[in-house]
Amino acid sequence: GENVEQHPSTLSVQEGDSAVIKCTYSDSASNYFPWYKQELGKRPQLIIDIRSNVGEKKDQRIAVTLNKTAKHFSLHITETQPEDSAVYFCAASSNAGGTSYGKLTFGQGTILTVHP
Amino acid sequence: KAGVTQTPRYLIKTRGQQVTLSCSPISGHRSVSWYQQTPGQGLQFLFEYFSETQRNKGNFPGRFSGRQFSNSRSEMNVSTLELGDSALYLCASSLDLLNYGYTFGSGTRLTVV
């Protein structure tokens, strides 16, 4: 089955700096890669996602890049703010064989702390 | 519109008991997935339902089961509870099988004592 590795496990930055979180996946059939943000005691929230036919996607201060050959994808947050502090999860899924994207395999998470 | 609703929010059960958790997807969403979240294992996929049919199943013992009703609401059941079943159980819904935007509910926190 799919295996997703996420690094680093913790990341501490100063407000205004950039933050980068990296994930690698094992199943070459994976073709959908979402990122979720989970604040303490709250539900995971989808912040950005990318499909395998796209190399990069950006939404304001957040961007995701995908390298299918190397089987890795990264989350980039620019101009970080204290409210960006949370746990970030990457995930991978595949709808190969007519299945759905509903079986997400998650990385272990990155605790991001943004210091004012 | 209302988000994904999970009930109850908190549950305390004794070892050996069984428990049923409920998930109401976003209105119009027909695909529901369930996940277990623990500090040690992270987020792990349990199963997915669409049109009252289980489409996918994760690597959990048979004590974990689920179902989906004709209105897309879903329930999961855990029988013969063990201490290790203590976790946050999350469900997520999506419009249909071809849609890849899954929205999570706030979860049910299950504590087994």
Side-chain angles (χ1 to χ4, degrees):
Chain A
E2 174 66 280
N3 183 52
V4 177
E5 297 286 337
Q6 183 172 345
H7 300 281
S9 56
T10 61
L11 181 57
S12 182
V13 300
Q14 289 296 127
E15 183 177 2
D17 287 350
S18 294
V20 180
I21 303 170
K22 299 181 180 182
C23 290
T24 59
Y25 60 99
S26 62
D27 188 351
S28 56
S30 288
N31 56 1
Y32 173 60
F33 308 91
W35 286 87
Y36 284 85
K37 174 184 179 183
Q38 188 176 28
E39 297 176 73
L40 192 62
K42 297 193 175 181
R43 64 186 180 92
Q45 287 192 288
L46 179 66
I47 56 172
I48 195 167
D49 55 12
I50 192 167
R51 297 184 68 183
S52 59
N53 58 348
V54 175
E56 183 174 358
K57 184 177 177 180
K58 189 173 182 180
D59 182 5
Q60 299 184 327
R61 298 185 297 108
I62 293 174
V64 58
T65 58
L66 171 66
N67 183 325
K68 284 190 297 182
T69 303
K71 293 186 199 166
H72 68 70
F73 57 111
S74 301
L75 177 72
H76 304 253
I77 306 174
T78 59
E79 300 171 19
T80 54
Q81 302 166 2
E83 49 266 40
D84 293 330
S85 297
V87 181
Y88 290 81
F89 293 96
C90 63
S93 181
S94 167
N95 72 334
T99 61
S100 75
Y101 293 105
K103 182 179 179 179
L104 294 169
T105 301
F106 284 87
Q108 287 297 100
T110 297
I111 302 172
L112 174 64
T113 305
V114 181
H115 299 282
Chain B
K1 57 184 175 181
V4 179
T5 303
Q6 292 188 244
T7 56
R9 289 297 308 278
Y10 302 93
L11 263 179
I12 300 176
K13 290 286 187 177
T14 304
R15 270 184 305 173
Q17 287 186 313
Q18 74 165 15
V19 67
T20 299
L21 312 182
S22 178
C23 172
S24 293
I26 291 172
S27 179
H29 283 197
R30 298 191 296 157
S31 178
V32 175
S33 296
W34 287 87
Y35 293 83
Q36 181 195 65
Q37 185 174 28
T38 59
Q41 299 299 317
L43 280 152
Q44 292 188 291
F45 173 78
L46 281 156
F47 25 65
E48 179 191 19
Y49 286 88
F50 178 80
S51 289
E52 304 177 64
T53 303
Q54 188 179 89
R55 299 281 301 189
N56 237 320
K57 191 177 190 313
N59 297 323
F60 280 81
R63 300 185 297 106
F64 291 81
S65 63
R67 59 178 176 168
Q68 187 181 35
F69 302 94
S70 59
N71 62 357
S72 296
R73 189 177 72 86
S74 178
E75 288 182 348
M76 67 164 282
N77 184 77
V78 188
S79 63
T80 319
L81 284 165
E82 300 176 359
L83 295 179
D85 297 333
S86 295
L88 179 66
Y89 290 89
L90 294 158
C91 81
S93 75
S94 180
L95 198 58
D96 57 40
L97 291 179
L98 299 180
N99 185 276
Y100 44 83
Y102 280 81
T103 301
F104 279 85
S106 296
T108 293
R109 172 74 63 185
L110 172 65
T111 302
V112 182
V113 297

